[in-house]
Amino acid sequence: VVAELQALEHTAMVVMVAQGRNTTTGAASVSGASTSSGNQSAATASSAAAGGGGGGGGSSGPTAAYSAHRVQAEKELREKFTAVELQFFELIHLSDLAVHMLEIYFKKEMCVFIDETDFLNICNQERKALEHAVDDSVAVGMDCVIEIILRQTQHILDTEQAAADYHPDTN
């Protein structure tokens, strides 16, 4: 799941970089990128690259079509991020449940045969090692998810917040 999040993050970065290009460069990159890869993420990124950011609001023609296409591509990308993030949080819940069940089983069944307070016992060491491995994996995934959410938030603020929000007209 973390690898899928990182791949989606890379796609999002391509979209954000492509927004700085003019429309002719974006159109050229669409023809090369979408034919060379059958990957849906690459197609989404190349579609968003077509909306590259040339032109202002309210214009008609190719720029408006590119802008509408870019908005649709960004919406699809946000939905993919949300689905993968929810899947990751479900996996965190399941891993927590598994560790909790292991702890209950250990206390009910294994503590009859071993001393739970003996830190040199191999069973206690392996149980702690498993708990640390799960905690480390969750921490790495959470770090990745938090970074992606922060980048998404920053991108939304950069693209959708107007300067007038900070300095409203006093007229």
Side-chain angles (χ1 to χ4, degrees), residues 31-165:
S31 62
S34 63
T35 57
S36 65
S37 173
N39 187 353
Q40 186 177 2
S41 297
T44 304
S46 64
S47 298
S59 63
S60 62
T63 304
Y66 287 138
S67 179
H69 193 65
R70 183 182 78 220
V71 169
Q72 179 64 27
E74 285 182 2
K75 182 179 177 185
E76 290 173 6
L77 198 58
R78 286 180 191 164
E79 289 172 0
K80 287 181 185 179
F81 271 122
T82 303
V84 173
E85 289 165 358
L86 288 176
Q87 181 184 11
F88 178 74
F89 288 125
E90 288 174 8
L91 288 174
I92 288 175
H93 177 69
L94 288 175
S95 68
D96 183 48
L97 182 65
V99 168
H100 186 65
M101 288 175 58
L102 178 70
E103 184 178 328
I104 291 172
Y105 174 77
F106 184 80
K107 287 185 181 192
K108 279 188 169 182
E109 301 293 328
M110 297 299 292
C111 287
V112 174
F113 303 109
I114 62 171
D115 182 17
E116 184 180 1
T117 60
D118 183 13
F119 65 91
L120 294 177
N121 189 320
I122 191 73
C123 292
N124 289 330
Q125 290 175 356
E126 290 297 321
R127 181 176 59 96
K128 289 292 184 186
L130 176 66
E131 289 175 4
H132 288 298
V134 169
D135 288 343
D136 290 344
S137 298
V138 168
V140 167
M142 285 297 290
D143 184 48
C144 182
V145 168
I146 289 169
E147 286 293 323
I148 290 171
I149 290 171
L150 288 175
R151 287 183 185 146
Q152 285 177 335
T153 304
Q154 185 63 42
H155 174 69
I156 290 169
L157 288 174
D158 289 345
T159 57
E160 295 182 8
Q161 188 152 25
D165 292 344

Side-chain angles (χ1 to χ4, degrees), residues 2-18:
V2 172
E4 189 174 346
L5 278 171
Q6 290 172 342
L8 283 172
E9 180 184 23
H10 175 71
T11 303
M13 295 305 281
V14 168
V15 169
M16 286 187 267
V17 168

